[in-house]
Amino acid sequence: MALTSKITPYDARWPSLFDAEKVRVQRVFAPQVDVEHVGSTAVPGLAAKPEIDLLVVSDHQDEDRVDQEMASLGYERGKNLSVGHMFYRRDVGGIRTHKVHVCRPGHWQVFRMLRFRDMLREDGKLRHKYQRLKLELEARNESGIKEYLADKAPFIDAVVGPPPEA
């Protein structure tokens, strides 16, 4: 089974694609919101699935309104990934283009996503190891994205520490 997208070499357009989507998504959570570019497309030089990951840090209150406004932007609500961590995905023409993680301020996942991104940006050896792992996992993947994410988790946990539920 294929992943949501094929891993491709780094594309210098990814930061500008993030900037454009940030403006759209920020309006849903305004006025007080922080939106960060996370995931592999946020790391210059790193091969990635060409899916822009946004991390929204917001103390939103009205989930029904947020769901409706995100749907108006073409996003589908996924299941909550943990308490205080909502997830949205956007496909265009059947192809995944964006993912939005919405976490409350202080959520443990905010630290992990930003720390891992920053470590990959700063450490070329770590970035190379992670890229090699991702390509190996893609090549041997049989069950799709859940398998891929589960197989990446031990590497990420070794770098930033395990999540509190582990």
Side-chain angles (χ1 to χ4, degrees):
M1 177 180 283
L3 301 181
T4 52
S5 300
K6 182 167 177 38
I7 295 174
T8 64
Y10 180 77
D11 186 331
R13 296 176 296 171
W14 289 339
S16 62
L17 292 172
F18 162 76
D19 289 338
E21 197 63 14
K22 175 181 177 178
V23 170
R24 286 171 23 100
V25 169
Q26 219 165 14
R27 291 182 186 134
V28 174
F29 298 92
Q32 297 175 345
V33 64
D34 184 25
V35 181
E36 295 278 346
H37 190 185
V38 294
S40 294
T41 62
V43 180
L46 181 62
K49 292 185 281 99
E51 303 171 7
I52 306 300
D53 284 274
L54 296 92
L55 169 62
V56 175
V57 181
S58 172
D59 197 14
H60 60 282
Q61 300 297 321
D62 188 349
E63 286 188 29
D64 290 336
R65 178 194 61 78
V66 169
D67 287 349
Q68 289 174 3
E69 290 188 32
M70 289 297 285
S72 76
L73 296 177
Y75 284 91
E76 180 180 328
R77 171 89 181 252
K79 68 175 186 155
N80 287 357
L81 300 178
S82 64
V83 174
H85 182 178
M86 299 186 320
F87 179 76
Y88 297 87
R89 63 186 168 274
R90 180 172 173 230
D91 296 356
V92 175
I95 298 171
R96 178 76 33 91
T97 61
H98 297 81
K99 298 174 287 200
V100 178
H101 297 266
V102 182
C103 294
R104 297 209 182 273
H107 192 282
W108 59 269
Q109 195 60 278
V110 172
F111 168 80
R112 282 175 58 86
M113 283 190 234
L114 295 176
R115 179 75 179 128
F116 191 56
R117 176 202 65 191
D118 293 347
M119 292 176 78
L120 290 170
R121 285 176 172 175
E122 295 166 6
D123 186 337
K125 288 181 181 178
L126 180 65
R127 186 170 50 249
H128 179 73
K129 283 182 185 177
Y130 186 55
Q131 179 171 287
R132 190 174 61 233
L133 172 65
K134 289 171 29 146
L135 293 169
E136 288 171 8
L137 294 177
E138 179 185 48
R140 70 175 194 233
N141 187 279
E142 295 179 1
S143 300
I145 192 66
K146 286 183 181 181
E147 173 190 334
Y148 175 77
L149 294 173
D151 288 349
K152 283 193 323 179
F155 181 92
I156 296 168
D157 291 348
V159 171
V160 296
E165 290 100 44

